[in-house]
Amino acid sequence: MPWSSRAALLRDLVLGVLGTAAFLLDLGADLWAAGQYALSGRYLWAALVLALLVLASVALQLFSWIWLRADPAGLHESQPPRRCLALLHFLQLGYLYRCLQGLRQGLSVWQQEVPSEFDLAYADFLSLDISMLRLFETFLETTPQLTLVLAIMLQSGRAEYYQWVSICTSFLGISWALLDYHRALRTCLPSKPLLSLGSSVIYFLWNLLLLWPRVLAVALFSALFPHYVALHFLGLWLVLLLWIWLQGTDFMPDPVSEWLYRATVATILYFSWFNVSEGHTRGRATIHLAFLLSDSVLLAITWVTHSTWLPGEIPLQMWLPVGGVCLLLGLALRLIYYRWLHPSCRWEPDRVDGARSLFPLAQGQLPQNRRMTHLARNFFPKAKDQAALPRKGEVNGVL
């Protein structure tokens, strides 16, 4: 194997180890914070931290289990029996098992002198699923936890050392998930050289810079009106869920699990942008940005009209300008990205509807993660002059 290929495999393996470590570190920090809240008698805060952990974990295990059952027959030959896998997911260990399985496959490929095409494709297949699950976990658990700890700090007027640890690990988890997701999208590009390292950095920065003002606005509102933030989230979440349903998403293997995906995407859209269907992306992104920006401004105005100083005598002028600058920088970088760095691709036409109806894996066929490819099609537009023909030998879920 050429040295460049072996170095790329080693890099992916190291990134996988670091991603798993970041997940465990964030989980440990949240459990530590919940324990400290309970020991100090703040049981409601501890219950909220644990509730976010449990809800996100259950959703993650459901996604993992549904995808395993929908994968082509014979793809995961080295996995334990289905009962063992079901027990792992019931014990909330399904995602961690996937991470360890991906690391084992990556290590196996790296140790081979000449790895087979199937082993390489299977390693990519596993890592793409992990990237999607990591992104879902980020917006179902890490981002809400960050909002919660900021609201607690603002409401109490002081910051404990374990809260700063939780904030740092949350930012680490969010940053890693955004970068890893963009790398996974790049893996699915038919023309990978079109996407440079610079575009990944700009993509990461504009997402993070636009996410921070949103988290700050919700945290400020939560600190002042803790009893109303749940109603606010539920109201916007239902509107976003309706919007997603009207777009006719078709991502999961069956209509029932599709609602789990829609509910998850609605939660993501509460904080950030996530494209769920092809075509008219610019219009939908503009509508979502205007909607989210208007809501954030209303939350900030509501906070300003009821309180001009934070509980710890920190002036409000130190917070809102920071959020405003982050917002303007994020918008500028987002415009730069979509104007000059967002490639159009020559996608081959699908022969299936979404990610459904996977056939058994035939002899000699290579696994293709159609779930991530489906999201990449939504994210990267087709070239205007595209006139692609169906790829010879393409079948449902495999090449």
Side-chain angles (χ1 to χ4, degrees):
M1 182 192 303
W3 168 249
S4 58
S5 299
R6 184 171 291 278
L9 291 174
L10 180 60
R11 178 201 61 200
D12 291 342
L13 183 61
V14 172
L15 291 177
V17 172
L18 293 178
T20 305
F23 166 75
L24 294 175
L25 185 63
D26 183 52
L27 176 62
D30 291 335
L31 292 174
W32 183 25
Q36 291 296 321
Y37 292 146
L39 291 175
S40 60
R42 293 171 286 188
Y43 300 110
L44 178 60
W45 294 352
L48 289 174
V49 172
L50 294 177
L52 289 175
L53 280 173
V54 171
L55 290 175
S57 180
V58 170
L60 216 61
Q61 308 308 316
L62 287 174
F63 274 115
S64 177
W65 177 247
I66 292 169
W67 292 351
L68 280 175
R69 296 189 63 183
D71 285 341
L75 175 62
H76 308 289
E77 294 182 350
S78 60
Q79 283 187 344
R82 176 164 292 189
R83 290 185 178 180
C84 293
L85 290 176
L87 179 61
L88 284 173
H89 285 78
F90 178 77
L91 296 176
Q92 307 302 298
L93 297 174
Y95 173 69
L96 186 58
Y97 165 76
R98 278 180 172 271
C99 292
L100 296 178
Q101 182 190 24
L103 292 177
R104 184 183 64 178
Q105 180 66 21
L107 181 61
S108 174
V109 170
W110 181 73
Q111 289 177 336
Q112 297 178 32
E113 287 295 332
V114 183
S116 66
E117 292 186 3
F118 182 88
D119 286 340
L120 290 170
Y122 186 54
D124 279 342
F125 187 98
L126 296 176
S127 67
L128 293 177
D129 270 354
I130 294 170
S131 297
M132 283 186 286
L133 291 172
R134 181 176 291 123
L135 184 76
F136 292 166
E137 188 270 342
T138 295
F139 285 97
L140 290 175
E141 191 270 330
T142 307
T143 306
Q145 291 282 13
L146 176 61
T147 307
L148 176 62
V149 71
L150 286 175
I152 291 174
M153 290 170 59
L154 293 171
Q155 192 178 58
S156 63
R158 65 177 186 272
E160 304 291 347
Y161 59 93
Y162 56 85
Q163 291 175 322
W164 285 114
V165 172
S166 180
I167 290 175
C168 293
T169 56
S170 294
F171 266 114
L172 176 63
I174 293 170
S175 303
W176 194 270
L178 290 174
L179 286 172
D180 187 62
Y181 180 67
H182 200 244
R183 181 197 64 83
L185 290 174
R186 182 193 183 280
T187 303
C188 298
L189 274 175
S191 301
K192 294 181 177 60
L194 290 174
L195 200 60
S196 64
L197 176 62
S199 66
S200 293
V201 173
I202 297 298
Y203 170 85
F204 159 71
L205 287 176
W206 76 253
N207 272 280
L208 200 62
L209 289 172
L210 290 182
L211 180 63
W212 164 245
R214 177 61 178 173
V215 170
L216 178 61
V218 177
L220 287 171
F221 184 79
S222 304
L224 192 61
F225 303 104
H227 302 293
Y228 295 104
V229 67
L231 294 176
H232 173 266
F233 169 77
L234 183 61
L236 264 65
W237 182 81
L238 290 174
V239 172
L240 294 169
L241 183 64
L242 176 63
W243 190 42
I244 296 167
W245 173 69
L246 292 175
Q247 294 182 51
T249 61
D250 186 24
F251 179 76
M252 298 294 283
D254 58 79
V256 175
S257 61
E258 187 68 27
W259 282 103
L260 173 64
Y261 171 70
R262 291 168 181 167
T264 301
V265 172
T267 306
I268 296 176
L269 290 175
Y270 180 81
F271 292 102
S272 184
W273 167 245
F274 188 84
N275 196 22
V276 295
S277 58
E278 292 186 64
H280 307 290
T281 303
R282 183 179 302 174
R284 289 195 301 269
T286 303
I287 292 172
H288 175 264
L289 178 62
F291 178 76
L292 218 60
L293 181 59
S294 301
D295 180 71
S296 297
V297 170
L298 287 175
L299 292 179
I301 291 176
T302 302
W303 200 93
V304 170
T305 55
H306 287 78
S307 176
T308 57
W309 290 78
L310 297 175
E313 297 186 353
I314 303 175
L316 178 64
Q317 289 79 1
M318 292 183 59
W319 290 86
L320 292 187
V322 172
V325 170
C326 289
L327 177 65
L328 293 177
L329 286 176
L331 289 175
L333 291 176
R334 185 173 181 176
L335 290 175
I336 291 173
Y337 175 83
Y338 281 106
R339 178 64 181 86
W340 290 290
L341 301 175
H342 193 58
S344 298
C345 303
R346 300 180 179 276
W347 291 104
E348 303 294 342
D350 276 333
R351 292 192 179 186
V352 295
D353 192 11
R356 300 184 179 177
S357 306
L358 297 175
F359 290 157
L361 197 65
Q363 183 68 29
Q365 292 176 329
L366 300 179
Q368 179 198 29
N369 195 311
R370 298 187 60 82
R371 289 181 284 269
M372 182 58 79
T373 304
H374 184 78
L375 296 179
R377 286 175 182 272
N378 298 336
F379 187 76
F380 298 109
K382 294 180 180 179
K384 294 182 179 180
D385 59 344
Q386 178 178 1
L389 296 175
R391 185 181 300 178
K392 182 178 179 180
E394 183 176 357
V395 297
N396 244 350
V398 295
L399 292 177

